[in-house]
Amino acid sequence: MRIANKTMVVTIALVLSLTGCSNFGVEGDVQADHQEVGSTVAAVQEYDLSTLALELPADWELDTGDQMNYLLINDRGEKVGRISSSPYVADFEFKHALPNHSSVINDETINLPAGVCRLITLDADNGPAASGATGTHNTYYGIVTIKDKVIYILEFTNLDKDPQSKQQFIDLLNKISLKEPVSRQ
């Protein structure tokens, strides 16, 4: 019985020390850390997708059912794009989130009324190998940086390689603006 108790005590001590669970330190330090986390969370919530203002082409819709990803629906009811947001960081890197079976064919910077936009053009597969679909299409990503506030990430494709599709996306990007966040208390 004593061996089991000693084993239990050692196990608990190891778990607490290895996971960083402890109650050492000054109580004020803990409170300051909670305030930092709270202000970071508030900043993320302050500028989210609800602060995005976007003028869409006639008969298009913005599906806002998912608070993390808005969907662009064209006049034929087809999903042609997606919008998400990220808290502002000066050295934001997007390439790690690019889809499989695609390659970057153009990476440029354009200036928009709302801020600077990194416009990435991908050559993307038309479908997974098992689908039997062949060929590729262009998918466009616009990473719109609104300094010190938010980064909007827009994805768009008409499943073609038509230069007019790229221009349609740029026209859409030029109509982005930022609404002031509603105070959340």
Side-chain angles (χ1 to χ4, degrees):
M1 192 70 133
R2 286 185 155 214
I3 293 174
N5 286 339
K6 286 181 181 179
T7 304
M8 181 71 88
V9 169
V10 170
T11 302
I12 290 172
L14 278 172
V15 168
L16 291 175
S17 65
L18 293 175
T19 61
C21 295
S22 66
N23 198 17
F24 300 112
V26 180
E27 193 170 307
D29 291 341
V30 174
Q31 186 176 7
D33 290 343
H34 287 291
Q35 287 173 347
E36 281 181 35
V37 170
S39 64
T40 302
V41 170
V44 170
Q45 291 174 341
E46 186 175 1
Y47 287 99
D48 58 12
L49 286 177
S50 68
T51 61
L52 175 70
L54 179 63
E55 185 181 327
L56 295 173
D59 300 323
W60 280 39
E61 295 178 27
L62 188 61
D63 179 346
T64 60
D66 178 351
Q67 293 179 356
M68 303 299 287
N69 291 287
Y70 287 178
L71 300 177
L72 293 168
I73 311 294
N74 68 14
D75 55 349
R76 294 181 303 278
E78 302 164 332
K79 179 189 139 210
V80 293
R82 182 173 43 126
I83 305 170
S84 60
S85 68
S86 173
Y88 175 81
V89 289
D91 58 350
F92 181 80
E93 181 52 55
F94 179 69
K95 285 189 178 180
H96 67 277
L98 296 177
N100 293 335
H101 307 290
S102 66
S103 58
V104 175
I105 57 175
N106 196 12
D107 188 342
E108 59 193 297
T109 301
I110 60 175
N111 290 312
L112 305 174
V116 175
C117 176
R118 183 172 172 198
L119 179 58
I120 299 172
T121 304
L122 296 182
D123 183 33
D125 285 345
N126 281 342
S131 72
T134 58
T136 62
H137 64 274
N138 287 347
T139 298
Y140 306 98
Y141 284 89
I143 296 88
V144 181
T145 303
I146 300 176
K147 191 168 173 55
D148 298 327
K149 294 185 179 172
V150 67
I151 297 173
Y152 291 116
I153 304 159
L154 291 88
E155 173 188 351
F156 178 81
T157 187
N158 279 330
L159 299 175
D160 62 22
K161 291 186 168 282
D162 190 338
Q164 290 179 1
S165 292
K166 181 178 180 179
Q167 187 57 52
Q168 183 181 24
F169 185 51
I170 291 171
D171 292 345
L172 188 69
L173 291 170
N174 273 305
K175 295 177 182 172
I176 290 175
S177 61
L178 187 65
K179 298 183 272 186
E180 285 305 311
V182 176
S183 178
R184 297 178 182 156
Q185 297 174 355

